[in-house]
Amino acid sequence: MTSQRTRSRLVQRLKDQGITDQQVLDVMANTPRHIFIDEALSHRAYEDTALPIGFNQTISQPYIVAKMTELLLAEGDLERVLEVGTGSGYQTTVLAQLVEKVFSVERIKPLQDKARQRFSLLKLHNISLRHCDGGMGWPDKGPFDGIIVTAAPEEVPPELLAQLAIGGRLVIPVGGSRHQLLKLVIRHSETEYETTVLEGVKFVPLLTGTVR
Ligand code: SAH
């Protein structure tokens, strides 16, 4: 169930759905998604679906992880990337294999703790984690070449726009009640941002405050 063949089948599905970035496909083929999911559900790890990870949260669907990563990387390699919503750490792990350094924030401490153990198991050493309300981003570590948000706010948080480097890319689901639009925002200059609306998506909401 966790074999290379099962993973290859998932990657074929991602290609069929329009993912073309070979780097992203290779990383998805080599990332063990089953270790990000509780054992009781791990037999479903290579299905192209979101799955519960506790605390009313979900590990993102592989297609959406691939899509958001591809959008982020479309203009070339990135150095510093901020992720809002570490969750299981699966998206973080995919990113960490494709960019220099990942900064990831999570508001639920027990999820962050589990993700940290997984990064150490996978020997990923280019990830920094912070327990905080990530709607504010991580100002001390910015500006970022890329920002990826894996929970949906009603509007794009201005703090995240401010922490985007010039030329930087923000990929974010926006909208209420578990149905949103995926948006790509590119910062062209100090004051100029270009927004492209991509497709309908379904994320858990971006919430305020933290859980210990
Ligand atoms: N990328 C994750 C997705 C997890 S679901 C994965 O593939 O597993 C979204 C995550 O965003 C949840 O863990 C949730 O707790 C977190 N989240 C929601 N609002 C947040 C906020 N304001 N700051 C930081 N994390 C937040």
Side-chain angles (χ1 to χ4, degrees):
M1 274 177 306
T2 54
S3 70
Q4 197 57 50
R5 195 149 54 88
T6 316
R7 285 187 215 171
S8 305
R9 218 178 295 137
L10 171 64
V11 168
Q12 186 54 51
R13 222 193 115 104
L14 298 176
K15 284 190 199 165
D16 294 344
Q17 289 175 283
I19 304 298
T20 55
D21 186 324
Q22 194 56 47
Q23 277 193 92
V24 173
L25 291 167
D26 289 346
V27 165
M28 302 274 305
N30 292 320
T31 301
R33 190 169 183 253
H34 61 277
I35 73 160
F36 296 88
I37 296 168
D38 284 344
E39 224 166 305
L41 280 174
S42 62
H43 64 286
R44 301 188 56 194
Y46 298 95
E47 291 176 17
D48 187 23
T49 177
L51 292 167
I53 54 171
F55 302 89
N56 275 326
Q57 304 304 319
T58 55
I59 179 172
S60 304
Q61 178 194 358
Y63 164 73
I64 210 72
V65 170
K67 181 76 196 176
M68 290 173 86
T69 308
E70 184 172 79
L71 285 166
L72 208 62
L73 293 169
E75 295 294 323
D77 293 346
L78 301 179
E79 278 180 29
R80 301 167 74 79
V81 173
L82 172 69
E83 177 189 38
V84 178
T86 315
S88 67
Y90 177 62
Q91 169 79 71
T92 328
T93 295
V94 168
L95 279 173
Q97 297 170 79
L98 292 161
V99 307
E100 288 270 319
K101 176 94 199 163
V102 184
F103 299 87
S104 185
V105 296
E106 171 57 55
R107 64 183 286 279
I108 302 175
K109 188 72 166 67
L111 287 180
Q112 187 196 44
D113 291 342
K114 266 199 204 172
R116 194 189 299 281
Q117 285 171 13
R118 292 170 179 138
F119 303 146
S120 123
L121 182 76
L122 294 171
K123 300 192 165 53
L124 293 167
H125 302 299
N126 59 340
I127 301 170
S128 294
L129 300 178
R130 186 178 181 207
H131 177 229
C132 67
D133 176 349
M136 318 290 173
W138 192 343
D140 297 355
K141 303 289 185 187
F144 300 100
D145 308 310
I147 301 180
I148 187 167
V149 184
T150 70
E154 299 265 353
E155 304 286 345
V156 177
E159 292 84 354
L160 298 185
L161 293 174
Q163 286 165 43
L164 209 51
I166 295 185
R169 302 161 74 83
L170 164 66
V171 181
I172 184 168
V174 182
S177 67
R178 299 178 82 97
H179 183 80
Q180 310 96 14
L181 292 170
L182 187 63
K183 296 188 176 181
L184 167 68
V185 183
I186 303 175
R187 183 171 195 175
H188 289 300
S189 71
E190 203 55 52
T191 53
E192 225 184 317
Y193 294 86
E194 175 194 352
T195 301
T196 312
V197 177
L198 295 146
E199 60 193 88
V201 287
K202 209 171 169 187
F203 278 84
V204 295
L206 189 82
L207 301 173
T208 53
T210 58
V211 178
R212 270 266 134 218

